[in-house]
Amino acid sequence: VRGGALHAGVTPTGDLMDVSGDEPRGDEANAIRAFAQSLDADVDWTVGAEETLVRGLEDGTLDLVAGGITDKTPWTDKAGVTRAYREVVDDQGRRHMLVMLVPLG
């Protein structure tokens, strides 16, 4: 990734990850851009459903997946989970910790 491209898979999640424009926007998209910038890398975005994006982690075409994924994700047998980086509150007032998914290993 360093000096090249960070292949980021994203799924739409309201204000956290808005994929309605030319490039994803929102807090999570900004965090991914900042991370890529710290590695002198450009972001190559892929928008899709979580299941499709997790397959991209498994086959090596994606470096990370984001889009409202919480620390209670069901994908732990197929992807690594980052440390929680932000707390959000859902419509029912429940608190969740956001994470991103990365390839296993």
Side-chain angles (χ1 to χ4, degrees):
V1 171
R2 193 172 302 277
L6 173 70
H7 301 280
V10 296
T11 189
T13 312
D15 292 339
L16 292 171
M17 186 66 71
D18 177 359
V19 298
S20 63
D22 292 339
E23 283 200 359
R25 297 179 309 211
D27 290 348
E28 287 189 308
N30 293 339
I32 292 168
R33 280 188 191 90
F35 177 60
Q37 185 177 18
S38 77
L39 299 172
D40 191 32
D42 295 318
V43 182
D44 177 33
W45 302 99
T46 299
V47 177
E50 282 184 26
E51 183 174 355
T52 302
L53 298 174
V54 168
R55 275 199 304 267
L57 291 174
E58 290 181 304
D59 69 20
T61 58
L62 293 176
D63 299 311
L64 67 84
V65 171
I69 299 167
T70 72
D71 59 348
K72 306 291 187 231
T73 180
W75 298 110
T76 56
D77 62 331
K78 300 194 176 286
V81 178
T82 66
R83 291 182 185 161
Y85 63 90
R86 180 176 173 187
E87 182 178 77
V88 294
V89 178
D90 67 17
D91 295 342
Q92 288 79 39
R94 295 176 297 206
R95 297 183 182 284
H96 303 279
M97 298 305 293
L98 291 180
V99 298
M100 293 186 191
L101 301 177
V102 295
L104 283 174

